[in-house]
Amino acid sequence: AQSVAQPEDQVNVAEGNPLTVKCTYSVSGNPYLFWYVQYPNRGLQFLLKYITGDNLVKGSYGFEAEFNKSQTSFHLKKPSALVSDSALYFCAVSAGYKYIFGTGTRLKVLA
Amino acid sequence: EPEVTQTPSHQVTQMGQEVILRCVPISNHLYFYWYRQILGQKVEFLVSFYNNEISEKSEIFDDQFSVERPDGSNFTLKIRSTKLEDSAMYFCASNWAGNTGELFFGEGSRLTVL
């Protein structure tokens, strides 16, 4: 069965430092992977996706993610965190006629 | 920029009552979804809809739930007889590309069942 795992409930990082939010996946066939961000009392917003091609994917707000097939990972990264990046981040995988979301990682960027 | 709109933003209902949550997906999108989120945590799949029929539904989506696209623009989720555990934020989403495309989410409808 298709699944994604986000091993960290919360990640704390100082403003200006690089951030990483981890995601691993388990799929049969080619994975279609996504990252979304959710601010309080809002819907999920798309950040980036990996469908095929270059393993390093660039997305909105300076975020990027690296697809690693051997480690079955799709970690979200940003070189320099902003306080405004503080939010809930979800990794997702496409599975047939649905998308399966991870449990979410709360990112807290400290000023 | 086009967006998915959902109404109502918040609904309070008594247990056993019927509730209809409404969504207007982005106009050229073909695939429609309902998800729910309890207490701001896990985002759970309910149902997907394409070409006027359900493509897939989860175990949560039992006989108390139904979806409809009555007029080519609205996409509704009906809960026939609400239970306390149906209290959640319900999100509608849509896309045009199916499983390779990103989802566009609405702002959600908060359902509180008393």
Side-chain angles (χ1 to χ4, degrees), chain A residues 76-94:
Chain A
L76 181 71
K77 301 183 181 190
K78 188 173 182 182
S80 178
L82 300 172
V83 171
S84 56
D85 293 330
S86 298
L88 189 55
Y89 290 80
F90 290 95
C91 181
V93 65
S94 169

Side-chain angles (χ1 to χ4, degrees), chain A residues 37-45, chain B residues 6 37 91 105-108:
Chain A
V37 60
Q38 186 181 32
Y39 296 98
N41 301 311
R42 303 293 302 276
L44 280 72
Q45 296 176 38
Chain B
Q6 290 187 241
Q37 187 179 35
F91 290 105
F105 282 85
E107 294 293 288

Side-chain angles (χ1 to χ4, degrees), chain B residues 77-95:
Chain B
L77 174 69
K78 181 193 289 186
I79 309 174
R80 262 180 272 282
S81 177
T82 49
K83 306 180 188 115
L84 295 175
E85 55 265 36
D86 294 328
S87 295
M89 181 73 94
Y90 288 80
F91 290 105
C92 174
S94 68
N95 72 10

Side-chain angles (χ1 to χ4, degrees), chain A residues 39-86:
Chain A
Y39 296 98
N41 301 311
R42 303 293 302 276
L44 280 72
Q45 296 176 38
F46 168 73
L47 283 177
L48 49 80
K49 66 181 178 182
Y50 173 82
I51 303 299
T52 187
D54 195 349
N55 289 344
L56 184 63
V57 179
K58 293 189 184 297
S60 307
Y61 312 120
F63 284 94
E64 58 190 30
E66 186 167 10
F67 171 67
N68 187 316
K69 189 171 183 178
S70 62
Q71 296 186 5
T72 61
S73 67
F74 188 56
H75 300 333
L76 181 71
K77 301 183 181 190
K78 188 173 182 182
S80 178
L82 300 172
V83 171
S84 56
D85 293 330
S86 298

Side-chain angles (χ1 to χ4, degrees), chain B residues 41-72:
Chain B
Q41 299 300 319
K42 190 174 180 182
V43 177
E44 300 177 302
F45 168 73
L46 293 178
V47 66
S48 58
F49 191 88
Y50 169 73
N51 200 25
N52 281 319
E53 59 182 29
I54 290 174
S55 303
E56 187 165 347
K57 59 184 180 180
S58 70
E59 292 177 354
I60 303 168
F61 196 88
D62 62 20
D63 292 344
Q64 295 301 313
F65 290 85
S66 63
V67 288
E68 197 176 37
R69 188 157 160 80
D71 56 11

